[in-house]
Amino acid sequence: MSIRHLVYTALFAALFVAMSAVTIPLGFSPVPITLQNFALMLAGAFLGARYGFLSIGIVVALVALGLPLLHGQGGIGYIKGGTGGFILMFPICTLAVGYFTGKLFKSNIRRQSPVLFYFLLFLSFEVFGSLLSYVGGVPWLAAVYNWPFSKAMALGAYPYLAGDAAKAVVATVVTGALQAYVPVWKRKSSSQLTGLPAAADN
C-alpha cells in the first residue's frame, strides 16, 4: 500500500466513525438511524473495492477488539447485539459499492448517456450500499431478539428505506460533483489523454 492509499484509507475510516456519531434512536426499534451507510457509499466510490473494504473493515475489526468507535461503543458484546449483522455487512457493502461503481466509471456510459450514468450510480449506492446490509442485518436482528422474520423486517428494515434512498441520492450528487477525484475515473481519463494503457483497478 502506498502512502497515499494509506492516508485515504485512514481518512474514510475516520469519516465512517464520525458518521456513526450522528445517531437518531427510534423508540420502537433497537436499530438507530445513522449516516454509516452514507459514509461507506463514499468510501466505496472514492477508494474502490479493495481499499474501501479495508477502510471499513479496519473500523469493524477495531470495534470487535473493544475500541468504542461506533456510537461510542465497542467490543464483542456490542457486535453480538441486535445491530451486529448490519455492522458485519458494512465492509461487504463497501466492497460491492466499490466494485460496481468502479465498473460504471470505467464504462462509456458517463459520456454516452449522463442521465443513465447517474441513475446507475444511484442504483449502485441504493442496492449495494443500503439494501445489501439488510441481507445480514435483518436475520441477525430476528435471531438476537427471537423475532419472526416479518417482525424483524417491520422494525429493522421498512422504517429506514426512505432514508436510505435519500442518502443514496446525496451520495450520487457528491460523487458526481467530485468525480475527478474518483481513482478509476482519473486513471481512465489520464490514459485517454496520454495514449498510455490505464493502470489496473486497485
Side-chain angles (χ1 to χ4, degrees):
M1 180 184 293
S2 68
I3 295 298
R4 187 178 72 170
H5 284 140
L6 181 63
V7 169
Y8 282 116
T9 299
L11 283 175
F12 277 94
L15 177 66
F16 180 67
V17 173
M19 290 294 187
S20 76
V22 181
T23 303
I24 303 174
L26 299 179
F28 59 84
S29 173
V31 181
I33 295 175
T34 74
L35 293 179
Q36 289 170 319
N37 52 345
F38 175 67
L40 70 83
M41 291 174 194
L42 297 182
F46 286 92
L47 294 180
R50 181 189 305 176
Y51 293 108
F53 175 85
L54 183 62
S55 178
I56 306 303
I58 287 173
V59 176
V60 172
L62 291 176
V63 169
L65 291 174
L67 273 67
L69 299 178
L70 300 181
H71 320 300
Q73 300 181 67
I76 291 296
Y78 177 62
I79 297 292
K80 289 181 177 179
T83 59
F86 292 98
I87 294 170
L88 294 176
M89 285 298 296
F90 285 153
I92 299 172
C93 291
T94 312
L95 176 71
V97 169
Y99 177 81
F100 285 100
T101 57
K103 292 293 185 183
L104 185 58
F105 271 99
K106 289 194 290 185
S107 72
N108 294 322
I109 297 175
R110 179 172 50 87
R111 293 187 303 276
Q112 294 174 348
S113 178
V115 173
L116 178 60
F117 168 78
Y118 279 104
F119 173 74
L120 293 176
L121 189 59
F122 162 78
L123 208 59
S124 297
F125 289 138
E126 174 69 7
V127 174
F128 303 110
S130 291
L131 299 183
L132 182 60
S133 66
Y134 295 106
V135 173
V138 172
W140 186 290
L141 188 66
V144 168
Y145 290 99
N146 197 25
W147 289 345
F149 185 76
S150 58
K151 182 176 180 179
M153 286 292 293
L155 298 182
Y158 297 145
Y160 307 91
L161 296 180
D164 288 342
K167 283 178 273 189
V169 168
V170 176
T172 300
V173 172
V174 171
T175 304
L178 300 176
Q179 59 183 286
Y181 298 97
V182 175
V184 292
W185 187 90
K186 289 179 68 178
R187 282 199 295 271
K188 184 168 185 182
S189 175
S190 59
S191 67
Q192 290 170 338
L193 292 174
T194 62
L196 297 174
D201 186 14
N202 290 327

